[in-house]
Amino acid sequence: MHLLAGPEGQGWGKDPDRGLLLAALELLAERGYRGATTKEIARRAGVNEVTLFRRFGSKEALLRAALSHFIPVGFLERLPAEEAPLEEGLRQLLEAYLDLLKAHQALLPKLLAELLRHPGLRGAGPPEGILGVLERAVGFFRAQQRRGLLRSDEPPEEMALAFVGPLMARFLLGEALGVYLPLDQEAYLRGYLEGRYGAGREGQSGLR
Amino acid sequence: MHLLAGPEGQGWGKDPDRGLLLAALELLAERGYRGATTKEIARRAGVNEVTLFRRFGSKEALLRAALSHFIPVGFLERLPAEEAPLEEGLRQLLEAYLDLLKAHQALLPKLLAELLRHPGLRGAGPPEGILGVLERAVGFFRAQQRRGLLRSDEPPEEMALAFVGPLMARFLLGEALGVYLPLDQEAYLRGYLEGRYGAGREGQSGLR
DNA sequence: TTGCGCTGTAAGTATGCACTTACTTGCAGG
DNA sequence: CCTGCAAGTAAGTGCATACTTACAGCGCAA
């Protein structure tokens, strides 16, 4: 998986720009806002430091631009199609998410941290980044609802949050506190669909 | 709600220490690791900068100590008792969590960001901080399982994550991306307990 | 060839910061 | 009063870093 949409799509083409954006993203992820020095970004992009300032004006502007174009390329394609059968779709979603975490284990927590720290970083840019991915996921749940496979008395965003939320919480627990919980994927799917009421209900499961 | 356990409990009593820890925590939250300068921390604590170094050795050590003692005082008491009836307990948990977010709206995302950014900050210290709170919450779910009110084929940590996870995801969505989703508390509880299978099941709900 | 736009090179500026050193002051206990 | 420890004061060191300035080279179009 790469990190930037493109390579020539979005109109911010040109070579040195792209190299700088990519290098900025990598370094931001590796070392944080402070640690991503302009000198090092330029070096990694194979470009002179002065060029960085000439093209983006400031470090802040460069990083903002980089974040607004960030998207794990290839992730979108792994999301389930809206017409996918419910359980198969959920499994795909779960696996895509876990693979994403594995592939960008180092980057994601740092990127998240920077987003939390510098609210200014999130503006500016097409919503085709992370928000686009979220939209796609929500679309899947909406379609499943329309087909009557999921309860219809909750907004699809809620359905999506209920599925992804515990995974994100796990992620945070690990990255922020160093506490790692094992994950049983089948049990996770079962728990999501069947709820938490009552004693163990083996055999009643719609899953295998 | 305050920020540090104490005031004289844990053995790290003394006045200047406590003032420094508190100031460090506040500034860390307000301005991040980099922005929390030793000079400013000392000033806010009403103490000379040199004293900071004499007592903690380095900025890093001070911040680590501060984080390890951090706990939103008063939050613990709001968590449901293990014997609380299931739905009432869940409601308490939900409200305590929402109140916590409201009370520390500015601090929490910054603290989280710093934890993600500086993994070194999390070590060292008694688990009476945030982890203690988590333990308490998990204890509630475990007790409910033992009483047969929750399914028993999932570890209680899983039950807790399934409840808190979507809330945390909401929180992140808001803080990191600026996307805020409304929350219907009753629907949330229902969704948690009953799962997502099937069309709308009004009337079947165990909740009013 | 001339001129223009873009990039590179070299050097430098200004600033902020963690951390240190050397000395003084205040206070508590014997 | 004397001693000793903890805190304050003042000044400074060394370093990293964002950003600037001045100048030179290169390719391309008219």
Side-chain angles (χ1 to χ4, degrees), chain B residues 63-95:
Chain B
L63 292 182
R64 174 158 31 205
L67 276 181
S68 78
H69 289 293
F70 166 72
I71 182 175
V73 177
F75 182 63
L76 219 59
E77 291 70 33
R78 306 216 31 199
L79 295 180
E82 297 198 348
E83 322 81 50
L86 174 59
E87 290 163 18
E88 192 182 315
L90 289 180
R91 249 189 224 98
Q92 271 183 44
L93 197 53
L94 179 56
E95 273 163 26

Side-chain angles (χ1 to χ4, degrees), chain A residues 118-139:
Chain A
H118 300 268
L121 288 180
R122 59 162 106 118
E128 337 189 21
I130 300 176
L131 289 181
V133 172
L134 292 180
E135 269 311 314
R136 271 285 298 268
V138 169

